[in-house]
Amino acid sequence: MATILDIARLSGVSKSTVSRVINNHPHVSEDSRTKVMEAIEKLSFVRNARGVHLRTQSTKTIGVTIPDLDHPYFSPLVGMIASKCRNVGYKIVVFQTFYSIEEEYEIYEKLTENELDALIITHTLLSEQEIKQRVRNNVVLICNEPLQTRHLDVFSLDERDAVYSSTQYLLKEGRNHLLMCMDEEITPLQQQRWEGFKQAHLDLNKICTIQQKVSGYATIEEGLLLGDEIFSGQCNYDGILAGSDFLAAGLLSSAKKHGVSVPKELSIIGFDNHSICLTTFPALSSIKNQTELMVKDLVSCLLDRLDGKEFATVRKVYKGALVIRGT
Amino acid sequence: MATILDIARLSGVSKSTVSRVINNHPHVSEDSRTKVMEAIEKLSFVRNARGVHLRTQSTKTIGVTIPDLDHPYFSPLVGMIASKCRNVGYKIVVFQTFYSIEEEYEIYEKLTENELDALIITHTLLSEQEIKQRVRNNVVLICNEPLQTRHLDVFSLDERDAVYSSTQYLLKEGRNHLLMCMDEEITPLQQQRWEGFKQAHLDLNKICTIQQKVSGYATIEEGLLLGDEIFSGQCNYDGILAGSDFLAAGLLSSAKKHGVSVPKELSIIGFDNHSICLTTFPALSSIKNQTELMVKDLVSCLLDRLDGKEFATVRKVYKGALVIRGT
DNA sequence: TTGAAAGCGCTAACAC
DNA sequence: GTGTTAGCGCTTTCAA
């Protein structure tokens, strides 16, 4: 592997000049430039990023945590982040946490070891204090998780409001016994949803019946299982708020299997407005979020932080909207 | 940020000894070790990975190319690769190609710049020669794409056989006018499927009618669009082989909308056996692959290559199986 | 416009 | 068991 020293020797200039040519610096004579370019061509030289990283104290790499790459909401979210970052010269390293605190710890360590210029957290089981303590003074942004923070920038969706208005919609439509599906892990996000659910009942003077817990993945399979549980006996619910469209699709499929008529006897609302909503029968109603806008703002803030700009902690919240379809 | 030199000074030993302690080398006295550990604690020292990378000539990072992170097949595939690699001490950097050759070129450049120890390609629009030429002598493995290769290791699914047997199944069931949905880009994978489709017709002395092209994403939306096109006029098909379950789900949904009865008038078979198959009505039949096994073998081969072991180019092919459900 | 020299943080061969 | 030393490949001041 040729280094800039080899190029320097072959072209009869110094390492510095070679470096200048590579980095398109001005004030290099046309003559030197040509000689260097020729040498580069001849030895098929490619710059070694490892040297650059050490010298410049940056790897142009951003880490992103994601619970699981096999996830219909987080996966596209990270994809969006990755393309936006790429457009401004940064690569993305994806770290799956598998909903485990230990995995999270390891990721934060990578950050402090300077492999990453910054970290974006899309899902966490920790509090701000715990995160802050582990990531030290590195650049860290929170995306999608409505964490209460004082030192970290947060971009999140208004989960409380989204659930609040969807719940009100169901209640006003005459549904009375609503079920809300939550994860086992009580994250701030889950809590907000639950608050919205309760408040909507309160404001309409309705009795808020039951919450149902399912495990943390919100998959189709879990929807099918949960559905078997709910619909096999006497089903007391006439409305369900599912934590994700995939969970909702599983529930819907199970309801049909058990002879529960949707939307006549039961209404189901999903979350995220994934296109799977269009393939179920009837088509799934769902809550749609401004994910794209959120990511755009996030990346713009990230760049400012990386530039070392000083400004108060950012907290942005984006409103969701209920998309009414057949369920 | 404290460096090992700071630790060395504070604890009264040399840089080497500090390094030995950090890396758990034997032959360090208990006394030195304690002193170093104390200093590390006191200055809250963390090793700087950039220095390690330059020195060790490795970043412990593997790149993976994926067409789009928002993809129900590739996303879980990469997730699987990531966890397996993580278990053996490697991180994964995900690069989205968005089905663009230019993006691919850029990724290969990253590899030659030594930011990556190796690259796994899950989807490509290039031939082996073009890839080989760009990646030079770096470690590169192909996963999922049945490329004809002489120098690169390939792990792929037997697309030809999977389509062949599914087509035969449909024909033997009495379907006569089959449609196969292919991508616009004619990749080796697409070609193999097409061959299987033709051969199945040939072997049963049936006439192979038409192929239909759709663009390269295989999404629900495209299924809906394609469905509108096919089913709005006179539909001549009584069987469809879709390139993915999501495309199939879209087609199914559209068929229902246009009053085409499935499976009575029309049969639909998807690809990948995604759980979405369980949420459509009727449940989607689909072709299931041995993805897990493929990834396991791939990573094991990858490790051998990274160890510098010399052996002939590996080519492994995994059989698929038709899962028959309601369509 | 160019080159010399310093140094980013770390590891490892070698000598003791 | 430990320290000295060289060097991985690059960028960037500084002086010429």
Side-chain angles (χ1 to χ4, degrees), chain A residues 76-265:
Chain A
L77 179 67
V78 171
M80 236 184 261
I81 295 175
S83 1
K84 291 253 190 305
C85 286
R86 209 207 69 97
N87 290 343
V88 288
Y90 285 88
K91 298 172 288 299
I92 289 297
V93 186
V94 178
F95 295 100
Q96 302 184 87
T97 66
F98 299 113
Y99 305 90
S100 138
I101 291 183
E102 280 68 38
E103 300 279 343
E104 274 197 55
Y105 288 162
E106 276 193 40
I107 298 166
Y108 301 148
E109 199 171 316
K110 289 270 179 303
L111 179 64
T112 54
E113 285 189 351
N114 290 317
E115 291 203 39
L116 273 24
D117 288 357
L119 184 68
I120 298 170
I121 299 176
T122 68
H123 180 275
T124 179
L125 297 177
L126 301 175
S127 68
E128 186 200 14
Q129 288 90 324
E130 288 170 293
I131 297 174
K132 190 64 194 167
Q133 180 197 333
R134 285 174 185 272
V135 301
R136 318 244 181 125
N137 289 315
N138 290 285
V139 176
V140 173
L141 307 187
I142 312 281
C143 177
N144 195 67
E145 193 81 75
L147 230 52
Q148 289 306 321
T149 61
R150 285 180 38 214
H151 307 290
L152 264 30
D153 302 315
V154 178
F155 298 79
S156 63
L157 307 166
D158 196 339
E159 311 281 349
R160 191 185 170 289
D161 178 72
V163 171
Y164 178 85
S165 48
S166 305
T167 307
Q168 282 222 331
Y169 169 81
L170 286 180
L171 293 174
K172 284 179 181 165
E173 285 279 303
R175 310 281 173 174
N176 286 303
H177 300 283
L178 303 188
L179 167 72
M180 189 174 123
C181 298
M182 294 178 65
D183 295 354
E184 258 171 33
E185 313 281 1
I186 302 301
T187 59
L189 189 148
Q190 296 296 325
Q191 242 150 24
Q192 290 211 359
R193 290 187 181 177
W194 180 234
E195 277 170 29
F197 187 68
K198 278 192 301 187
Q199 193 63 44
H201 280 81
L202 224 59
D203 289 357
L204 290 175
N205 291 314
K206 296 252 187 178
I207 293 156
C208 173
T209 45
I210 316 169
Q211 71 165 305
Q212 176 85 29
K213 300 188 179 207
V214 300
S215 84
Y217 300 90
T219 59
I220 289 174
E221 283 81 0
E222 286 179 336
L224 292 169
L225 282 174
L226 182 62
D228 280 347
E229 199 181 302
I230 297 174
F231 306 124
S232 60
Q234 180 73 30
C235 172
N236 303 308
Y237 309 110
D238 54 12
I240 298 184
L241 274 163
S244 84
D245 289 331
F246 276 51
L247 187 73
L251 286 167
L252 174 57
S253 186
S254 173
K256 248 182 323 206
K257 193 179 85 186
H258 288 93
V260 177
S261 157
V262 178
K264 204 172 149 217
E265 300 170 59

Side-chain angles (χ1 to χ4, degrees), chain B residues 110-134:
Chain B
K110 289 271 177 303
L111 180 64
T112 54
E113 285 190 349
N114 290 317
E115 293 204 36
L116 273 24
D117 287 357
L119 185 68
I120 298 171
I121 298 176
T122 68
H123 180 274
T124 180
L125 297 175
L126 303 174
S127 68
E128 185 197 16
Q129 289 89 322
E130 287 170 293
I131 296 174
K132 190 65 194 164
Q133 181 198 333
R134 286 175 183 271

Side-chain angles (χ1 to χ4, degrees), chain A residues 66 68-80 83 96 246 274-275, chain B residues 64-80 94-99 122-124 143-145 157 159 182-183 187 189-190 193 214-222 242-248 270-276 289 291:
Chain A
I66 181 175
D68 190 337
L69 225 16
D70 180 9
H71 195 292
Y73 175 69
F74 285 106
S75 217
L77 179 67
V78 171
M80 236 184 261
S83 1
Q96 302 184 87
F246 276 51
H274 189 279
S275 51
Chain B
V64 182
T65 73
I66 182 174
D68 190 336
L69 226 14
D70 181 8
H71 196 292
Y73 176 69
F74 285 107
S75 216
L77 179 67
V78 171
M80 234 185 265
V94 176
F95 295 100
Q96 302 184 88
T97 66
F98 299 113
Y99 305 91
T122 68
H123 180 274
T124 180
C143 177
N144 194 67
E145 194 81 77
L157 306 166
E159 311 282 348
M182 292 179 67
D183 296 353
T187 58
L189 188 149
Q190 297 294 324
R193 290 186 181 178
V214 300
S215 83
Y217 300 90
T219 60
I220 289 175
E221 283 81 359
E222 285 179 337
S244 83
D245 290 330
F246 276 50
L247 187 74
F271 233 103
D272 302 336
N273 199 35
H274 189 280
S275 50
I276 195 178
N289 290 317
T291 323

